[in-house]
Amino acid sequence: MNTGTASTDTYLVTGGTGRTGHRVVTRLRERGLPVRVASRRGIPPFDWHDSGTWPAALEGTTVVYLCVSPDLALPGVDDIVAEFTRVAVESGVRRLVLLSGRGEDGARACEDLVRASGIDGVVVRSSWFAQNFSEHFLLGQVLRGRVALPVDGVREPFVDLDDVADVAVRALTDPALTGRVLEVTGPDAIGFARAAELLSLAIGRPVDFETVTSAEFVADLTGEGVPAEDAEGLAWLFAEVLDGRNEAVTDTVEEVLGRAPRTFADYASRAAAAGAWRLTDREGEVAR
């Protein structure tokens, strides 16, 4: 088995324009490392649902950041990961770093596939992204001042995506982490109602939390323009993993990066200052 990355490595970042992917790409480029961004609009184009696009994207690359959209836990994704891993190994890839999710049986199956591939593998197993409130499906709810989810009192150690990306880059470039499962969380577990309170404080206007049924949640997301299949998949994930199994906090960020993980309050303050939840009027001017 290869013992780690080398100075001649070329990095392929799948989902390279996505929430974690673009952060990983930026960090690798800041180190002066050669990076190829894999996306449907990339050159060459890359599509998880078209295996014919994989070989061209993989050609000449030796290290891959494996981020499958929309989620590893969804039915059938393990088949995609199995086939991609096979093609990657045949293409000469020597190291795979998989972005995974906590408490998901489907994700664990994908982790097993990567770890059994015969090449260097690292799993970055993440808790719930804080940036779901500002860069993904909950943005519209926060802007409306009402976070409505099919959860009640469950707590989650929300993790900042900048921490996830920092850990992922270490996993991609540091041979000492080979074979590890790096379970990354924020520093404390809070409920979704508390998250809404912290968002309110950071934004300067009320953000309420409400528990709703899965059907109501799906209807709300589809009303925001989220495809029904994606909305139903998210509702399934809420029911599957947000039951308290993921409340435990880890010290992985501090172990790997030598610093404490960012808090949810810090995330909310930074996102608000960057204008993540700035309201605009119909003419596009900032609404005071």
Side-chain angles (χ1 to χ4, degrees):
M1 180 177 291
N2 184 41
T3 59
T5 59
S7 60
T8 57
D9 282 324
T10 297
Y11 297 80
L12 177 70
V13 179
T14 63
T17 59
R19 287 170 295 150
T20 63
H22 86 268
R23 288 173 164 88
V24 170
V25 168
T26 297
R27 285 159 171 77
L28 291 172
R29 286 177 172 165
E30 286 173 346
R31 293 182 175 213
L33 298 171
V35 183
R36 181 177 299 161
V37 177
S39 70
R40 282 176 290 185
R41 296 181 182 178
I43 300 174
F46 179 91
D47 188 338
W48 279 117
H49 299 287
D50 182 0
S51 60
T53 66
W54 301 348
L58 285 163
E59 185 178 0
T61 63
T62 52
V63 183
V64 175
Y65 176 65
L66 190 51
C67 177
V68 184
S69 178
D71 196 276
L72 285 183
L74 296 179
V77 174
D78 56 334
D79 293 333
I80 295 173
V81 170
E83 179 63 11
F84 177 82
T85 300
R86 182 189 66 79
V87 175
V89 172
E90 291 180 353
S91 298
V93 169
R94 299 195 297 261
R95 187 176 186 85
L96 288 171
V97 174
L98 175 71
L99 178 64
S100 185
R102 298 178 87 199
E104 303 173 355
D105 290 340
R108 289 293 182 94
C110 294
E111 293 177 11
D112 291 343
L113 288 166
V114 168
R115 297 174 73 187
S117 65
I119 61 175
D120 289 354
V122 185
V123 172
V124 178
R125 186 187 293 158
S126 177
S127 61
W128 225 76
F129 299 156
Q131 278 80 356
N132 284 334
F133 292 97
S134 56
E135 299 180 20
H136 198 34
F137 67 101
L138 295 180
L139 173 60
Q141 292 194 358
V142 177
L143 289 172
R144 295 199 310 269
R146 174 178 174 266
V147 174
L149 302 174
V151 296
D152 197 350
V154 67
R155 299 185 305 153
E156 176 69 23
F158 298 102
V159 66
D160 193 302
L161 276 177
D162 288 315
D163 288 344
V164 176
D166 286 342
V167 170
V169 169
R170 282 292 303 275
L172 287 163
T173 59
D174 187 350
L177 296 177
T178 299
R180 294 281 303 277
V181 175
L182 304 173
E183 193 158 317
V184 293
T185 74
D188 51 7
I190 62 173
F192 283 81
R194 177 56 178 162
E197 291 175 357
L198 292 171
L199 291 170
S200 299
L201 291 172
I203 298 169
R205 60 178 184 272
V207 178
D208 299 323
F209 171 75
E210 181 180 352
T211 297
V212 296
T213 66
S214 291
E216 290 170 329
F217 172 68
V218 169
D220 184 79
L221 289 189
T222 54
E224 285 278 330
V226 176
E229 183 178 1
D230 291 349
E232 290 166 359
L234 287 166
W236 178 81
L237 281 174
F238 272 94
E240 177 75 6
V241 302
L242 287 173
D243 57 3
R245 73 182 70 176
N246 294 329
E247 290 187 351
V249 172
T250 72
D251 62 357
T252 302
V253 171
E254 187 165 5
E255 176 200 347
V256 174
L257 303 178
R259 61 165 176 80
R262 296 171 174 89
T263 66
F264 189 88
D266 176 61
Y267 147 73
S269 295
R270 287 185 293 109
W277 302 291
R278 186 173 297 146
L279 295 173
T280 57
D281 62 21
R282 292 181 181 177
E283 284 73 41
E285 297 295 328
V286 174
R288 301 295 180 185

